[in-house]
Amino acid sequence: MAIRLNDLIHNPETAPFSKLKYLKRMPEDEVTRFFNRLFLLSVTSKETGDWSVLDKFLEEEGDRISSQVAPPLGFDYTPWAPFEKRLSESKIAILTTGGVYVEGQKPFNTDGDSSYREIPLDTPVDQFPIVHTHYDTTGVAEDIDSVLAIHRLQEIIREGIVAEYNPSAYSFMGTYRTRQISLK
């Protein structure tokens, strides 16, 4: 059975491959050259036991490929409202772009998703799956607070550093793909 180009490009959701997902935006001949070089370097590395050449290739190609992708949005001006209240008199909320959601909620779409998930702060720690392709999510299983600081928030509330908090956190995946629209 032949392997389709889209199957090769599918991101395995690991940090070393996070930039390679942009291959799907590249011309097919360039993608073919990339995979041919990757295959040849893999064979050579296996034969010699020196994987540094392959590692360097992946790092350089990942940077080159991702640099060719234009940022989807740009802003000339960002409004800013200065924070003038004391924290001990303030109500705060947690936002994350870590791709966290609660079991039973719809997972984020890793091809681009600008939606959010509301996360009740009393959710048990073992009910936080994560979907994200721009960082290595394996460490989050050990410490959910590294991307969703719910326990740190509860600590600062108990210590009186913050007056109160919103009962839900809000999670985004933090990446999205722009859509081209034709106006005719």
Side-chain angles (χ1 to χ4, degrees):
M1 177 197 295
I3 297 175
R4 296 179 328 190
L5 182 62
N6 284 341
D7 292 336
L8 287 172
I9 295 172
H10 182 71
N11 188 344
E13 299 183 24
T14 60
F17 288 92
S18 65
K19 296 176 185 173
L20 299 183
K21 69 177 171 214
Y22 297 121
L23 281 169
K24 61 180 134 188
R25 298 183 187 174
M26 308 298 270
E28 189 168 341
D29 62 325
E30 192 171 334
V31 174
T32 301
R33 278 194 300 275
F34 169 83
F35 279 109
N36 282 333
R37 183 82 174 129
L38 178 65
F39 176 75
L40 291 173
L41 288 174
S42 297
V43 170
T44 302
S45 295
K46 184 170 180 164
E47 288 175 352
T48 64
D50 179 11
W51 295 92
S52 64
V53 175
L54 180 61
D55 186 50
K56 182 179 178 187
F57 169 76
L58 286 171
E59 186 67 33
E60 289 174 355
E61 282 298 294
D63 289 345
R64 184 186 68 77
I65 292 165
S66 63
S67 72
Q68 293 179 4
V69 178
L73 294 174
F75 299 97
D76 294 328
Y77 170 74
T78 303
W80 177 254
F83 186 72
E84 296 176 351
K85 241 180 167 182
R86 298 178 60 103
L87 270 177
S88 61
E89 300 168 350
S90 301
K91 180 176 184 175
I92 65 172
I94 296 178
L95 301 173
T96 181
T97 57
V100 179
Y101 63 101
V102 177
E103 283 183 13
Q105 292 178 333
K106 181 180 176 185
F108 290 100
N109 177 350
T110 59
D111 284 335
D113 193 335
S114 59
S115 64
Y116 70 92
R117 307 292 179 271
E118 187 172 340
I119 302 192
L121 294 183
D122 59 356
T123 303
V125 174
D126 63 344
Q127 292 184 14
F128 289 121
I130 296 168
V131 174
H132 211 294
T133 57
H134 284 75
Y135 74 96
D136 184 356
T137 61
T138 55
V140 178
E142 296 172 18
D143 183 13
I144 189 65
D145 285 280
S146 63
V147 294
L148 183 68
I150 58 175
H151 299 102
R152 301 301 76 82
L153 174 62
Q154 292 165 353
E155 287 173 10
I156 64 173
I157 294 291
R158 281 193 302 271
E159 294 171 8
I161 296 171
V162 173
E164 61 180 316
Y165 60 93
N166 194 58
S168 295
Y170 297 91
S171 177
F172 300 82
M173 189 180 65
T175 60
Y176 57 93
R177 184 186 312 167
T178 59
R179 295 184 184 145
Q180 293 182 346
I181 301 170
S182 175
L183 300 174
K184 291 184 179 183

